[in-house]
Amino acid sequence: MCLAIPMKVVSRNGGTGVVESGNVFYEINFSLLPDAVVDDYVIVHTGFAIQKLDKEDADETLKLYREMENLGIDHE
Amino acid sequence: MNKYLEEFRSEKAARIISDQINALQGNTRLTIMEICGGHTLTTMKYGLHTLLPETLTLKSGPGCPVCVTSTEYIDTAIALLQEHDVIIASFGDMLRVPGSTSTLLKQRSLGRDVRICFSPMDALSIAKENPGRKTVFLAIGFETTAPGIAVAIREAEQQGIGNIAFLTALKTMPQAMKALLSDPEALIDGFILPGHVTAVMGTGMYDPVIETYPIPGVVSGFEPTDMLASIRTLVEMIIAKKQEIVVQYTRAVKKEGNTAAQKIMNEVFVTADVSWRGLGTIPGSGLSIAGKYSHLDAEKKYAVSLPQQKEHPGCICGDVMKGKKTPNQCSLFKQQCTPENPVGACMVSAEGSCGIYFNFGRIHGR
C-alpha cells in the first residue's frame, strides 16, 4: 500500500537532505528520522525518510541467497 | 544499479525458495491474503503466482489507499473546487478515481486547479506561492503516509500558513484486519503483512488483532525473494498451527517501529471511525486531525453540498478487497473498466488489484 524504496543519504542540511539510488537524486525531509547520517540507507516514501535500512541485516540476507544459489548449482 | 533493491530479485534464489514451498505444502489447500497492494504488484509483476503450488490461493486485501477512498471523499474534493474555487493538491493516482458524477482529472480538463504532489510538503509550497488563494491537500494513506502528512500539518501551523487545509481520509490497518476476520466467509489461513506500515508502527500493532483472532502473519519486504521467503515461512507456520507474527523484512522493520513517526502522529491525529470504499464504515479504523490543529481541517473549514452518492452497481471492488473475488470475475473487467476509463477505484491505482491484473495478468497467463 505504501510504495517506498531504499536510497543512500548523500548529504544532510537541517531537516532535509539529499538521497540517491541508481544515480537519481532527491531532496527529502528527515523530520521522521532525524538521526540519519551520510552513507546510511533509508527507506523513502512520499518525500520522507521513514526508517533506516539495516545494512548488516540486508547483507546477511543477500549472503544467504548467494549460498542458496551455490548449493543449487551443486545439485544440478 | 539500485543498491539493496535489485539484489533481492535473484531468479535462481526465487526458484529454489518456490521449490521449497511446493515441497512443504504438498496437497494441503491453503488461502493466504497479502493485505498490501504493493505485494499484489510484486506477485503479478514478477509472476510469482506461477511458481507457487496450485493448492495455494493468494488473495489481495484492502491495502491500497486509493482503492479504499470513498466516493463521498472524491465528491467533497470536487465540491471544494466548484464551490470554493480552491487549488486541490493531491498525489497523482487520486485524479482518476471515480466520484459520483466526475473525477478530479475531468475537473482539471474543465479548467479547475488540480495539482499533483510528490510529497505533502509540496502542498505547503503551493499555498505559499499562491497567497491570494486557498489550497486543500488530499491527505490519504495508511500508517506509512500519515506521519509525513502530520509533519506537513505541524509545519503549516508553525509557519502560520493560513491559506492551506487538509482533507483527511487516513486509514489504519488493525481495525480493518479485524473487520475482515470477523466475516465468517473470509476463510484466510494467514496474512502477508505490510512491510512499510510495520516499519513505522512496529510489530506490536498486530497484538490487538491476533488476541481476538489468532492467525499467523509474516511481515514481508517487497522484492520477489522477500515475498517468496515470507510465503515459505507462512506456509510452515500454518502447517505447524503457529499463530504468531514473524518479520521477514528485518532490514527495515524493528520491533518498536519508528517512534519519532508515531509521536508526531499521536500529536497531530486522533483515532476516528472512517468509511472504506467497499467495506463500509469501520469503527476506529482511521485518523482525523486533532483539536489543536482543527483550523487546518478542510472538513471543518469549508461547508460543501454533496450530490447523491452513486457507484456503478456492477463494480465488485468491495468483494475484491475482502478477498472474496478476483478481478477477472467482474463482468466490467477489461470491458467497461480499464485503466484509461476506470469504473472502480481498484482499476485506478498502481497498487489496485484490478489495475495490476489488467497490466500484468496477460503476461503470466491469468
Side-chain angles (χ1 to χ4, degrees), chain A residues 4-55:
Chain A
I5 60 161
M7 299 185 84
K8 187 180 182 178
V9 181
V10 294
S11 68
R12 281 294 312 270
N13 178 21
T16 64
V18 175
V19 291
E20 178 268 344
S21 178
N23 226 17
V24 174
F25 294 80
Y26 282 121
E27 185 174 331
I28 63 161
N29 188 298
F30 280 89
S31 301
L32 304 172
L33 206 63
D35 300 337
V37 296
V38 171
D39 287 340
D40 276 348
Y41 278 80
V42 295
I43 310 283
V44 179
H45 172 75
T46 63
F48 288 86
I50 57 163
Q51 187 53 285
K52 223 178 263 192
L53 182 133
D54 184 334
K55 286 190 271 191

Side-chain angles (χ1 to χ4, degrees), chain B residues 95-110:
Chain B
L95 269 61
R96 286 178 195 274
V97 179
S100 295
T101 56
S102 185
T103 65
L104 291 166
L105 192 62
K106 279 183 199 153
Q107 291 299 309
R108 190 162 79 166
S109 70
L110 295 171

Side-chain angles (χ1 to χ4, degrees), chain A residues 1-7 20-23 26-29 31-34 41 43-59 61-62 65-66 68-73 76, chain B residues 1-5 7-8 10 12-13 16-17 36-38 63 65 91 118-121 142 144-145 147-148 151 173 194 196-197 199 225-226 229 232 249-252 254 257-258 260-261 264 351:
Chain A
M1 65 190 75
C2 309
L3 305 179
I5 60 161
M7 299 185 84
E20 178 268 344
S21 178
N23 226 17
Y26 282 121
E27 185 174 331
I28 63 161
N29 188 298
S31 301
L32 304 172
L33 206 63
Y41 278 80
I43 310 283
V44 179
H45 172 75
T46 63
F48 288 86
I50 57 163
Q51 187 53 285
K52 223 178 263 192
L53 182 133
D54 184 334
K55 286 190 271 191
E56 268 178 41
D57 185 288
D59 291 334
T61 307
L62 291 170
Y65 289 155
R66 273 193 295 271
M68 198 187 269
E69 288 171 16
N70 292 335
L71 282 174
I73 290 168
E76 277 168 12
Chain B
M1 161 90 168
N2 302 84
K3 180 82 180 147
Y4 294 128
L5 199 61
E7 295 157 292
F8 291 93
S10 155
K12 204 160 188 183
I16 293 168
I17 303 170
C36 176
F91 295 127
F118 164 70
S119 162
M121 300 306 277
F142 293 99
T144 315
T145 320
V151 170
M173 277 335 291
H196 293 133
V197 162
T225 48
D226 287 326
R232 180 186 59 193
Y249 196 28
T250 46
R251 63 187 184 276
K254 302 289 158 244
N258 179 338
I264 189 164
E351 303 165 90

Side-chain angles (χ1 to χ4, degrees), chain B residues 246-261:
Chain B
V246 169
V247 179
Q248 177 276 333
Y249 196 28
T250 46
R251 63 187 184 276
V253 175
K254 302 289 158 244
K255 190 170 181 288
E256 68 281 7
N258 179 338
T259 48

Side-chain angles (χ1 to χ4, degrees), chain B residues 241-295:
Chain B
K241 298 195 183 342
K242 267 193 200 163
Q243 283 140 349
E244 51 194 61
I245 304 300
V246 169
V247 179
Q248 177 276 333
Y249 196 28
T250 46
R251 63 187 184 276
V253 175
K254 302 289 158 244
K255 190 170 181 288
E256 68 281 7
N258 179 338
T259 48
Q262 292 161 23
K263 191 168 166 238
I264 189 164
M265 280 169 80
N266 290 335
E267 182 197 321
V268 175
F269 300 123
V270 288
T271 303
D273 304 345
V274 299
S275 162
W276 298 58
R277 192 185 285 240
L279 305 180
T281 298
I282 305 173
S285 68
L287 301 169
S288 62
I289 297 175
K292 186 182 168 193
Y293 297 97
S294 61
H295 56 289

Side-chain angles (χ1 to χ4, degrees), chain B residues 84-143:
Chain B
H84 296 273
D85 194 29
V86 304
I87 301 170
I88 289 285
S90 171
F91 295 127
D93 44 5
M94 287 293 281
L95 269 61
R96 286 178 195 274
V97 179
S100 295
T101 56
S102 185
T103 65
L104 291 166
L105 192 62
K106 279 183 199 153
Q107 291 299 309
R108 190 162 79 166
S109 70
L110 295 171
R112 300 285 177 190
D113 201 342
V114 180
R115 304 193 192 186
I116 293 174
C117 297
F118 164 70
S119 162
M121 300 306 277
D122 298 344
L124 303 192
S125 309
I126 293 170
K128 284 194 276 189
E129 285 157 14
N130 296 276
R133 300 193 54 199
K134 297 168 278 191
T135 296
V136 174
F137 179 69
L138 301 187
I140 67 145
F142 293 99
E143 291 95 329

